[in-house]
Amino acid sequence: RLVPQIVYYVYSYAKLLAEEEIKAGGFGMMLLHKLNNNKIMASFKIKFRVSTSNGDKGILYYQITHRRITRQFRTNYEVSVNEWNAESETVNINESTYNRKEYLNLIKRKIKHDKKRFETIVLCLSLKNKLYTTDDIIERFRNQITNSSFFSTIKNKQEKD
């Protein structure tokens, strides 16, 4: 469990150095200090909310907690009750969901990718040696979605031309 944290720290540190958001030096001591004081602790859970209009289907959302403050972040991932395992927080793919297998596999990949993005955001914020909130984590996540969208790519290309 500790090795992935260290890998993320090294990656985030290199990224912040490249973006010139922090200066080089003292990384090892900062890493030990962060790990020892658990200042990087944030939890990410994926939850299922049943639709009020259609009791069989619902939407997945993220529950993010940092420093005892919890926020919810809605996704556009739609699943039915039998396609969601609340205990393991995973998408079920079985014989009854076979006709939606491709879509459900896509959701599984997106969830995995989103969790990595959340972890990287938390590590980047931690490396800046400033206090941050749950709202800061969500804002960064939203900005990444906006910045990586198709329309922002076209807009950036037009601005360059």
Side-chain angles (χ1 to χ4, degrees):
R1 187 174 167 192
L2 186 60
V3 172
Q5 283 183 332
I6 292 171
V7 169
Y8 276 121
Y9 264 118
V10 171
Y11 167 77
S12 299
Y13 178 73
K15 185 176 177 182
L16 289 171
L17 279 176
E19 294 171 0
E20 297 180 357
E21 290 194 37
I22 62 171
K23 294 181 180 172
F27 175 69
M29 291 306 293
M30 183 178 62
L31 174 61
L32 289 173
H33 175 74
K34 294 285 185 189
L35 291 174
N36 288 336
N37 291 312
N38 291 324
K39 289 187 178 180
I40 63 165
M41 294 305 294
S43 67
F44 310 99
K45 296 183 179 184
I46 184 97
K47 302 285 187 174
F48 175 72
R49 180 178 295 126
V50 178
S51 171
T52 55
S53 60
N54 183 352
D56 182 45
K57 295 204 180 229
I59 295 288
L60 298 178
Y61 67 93
Y62 292 110
Q63 179 179 297
I64 300 116
T65 305
H66 175 63
R67 295 184 181 256
R68 293 187 226 139
I69 305 293
T70 301
R71 297 283 186 261
Q72 294 177 358
F73 182 79
R74 187 181 182 278
T75 71
N76 60 354
Y77 311 148
E78 292 184 14
V79 296
S80 64
V81 174
N82 69 329
E83 294 170 338
W84 182 248
N85 183 332
E87 196 172 302
S88 64
E89 296 181 351
T90 57
V91 175
N92 286 333
I93 300 175
N94 52 42
E95 291 175 18
S96 65
T97 61
Y98 185 76
N99 60 336
R100 289 174 37 98
K101 183 178 180 178
E102 190 173 316
Y103 174 73
L104 295 175
N105 275 323
L106 176 65
I107 290 175
K108 284 176 99 168
R109 287 191 305 273
K110 285 183 174 185
I111 290 170
K112 186 176 179 180
H113 178 72
D114 288 349
K115 284 185 176 185
K116 285 182 181 181
R117 284 179 45 215
F118 275 123
E119 290 170 359
T120 302
I121 288 167
V122 168
L123 288 170
C124 287
L125 289 169
S126 296
L127 285 171
K128 289 186 175 187
N129 265 342
K130 295 179 184 174
L131 292 179
Y132 60 93
T133 66
T134 309
D135 293 328
D136 294 331
I137 297 169
I138 291 173
E139 181 183 344
R140 288 257 177 133
F141 189 84
R142 281 191 177 126
N143 287 342
Q144 284 183 353
I145 290 172
T146 303
N147 292 336
S148 65
S149 74
F150 173 76
F151 293 110
S152 68
T153 304
I154 297 298
K155 183 180 177 184
N156 289 341
K157 184 174 172 93
Q158 287 175 343
E159 289 173 354
K160 288 180 183 177
D161 294 339

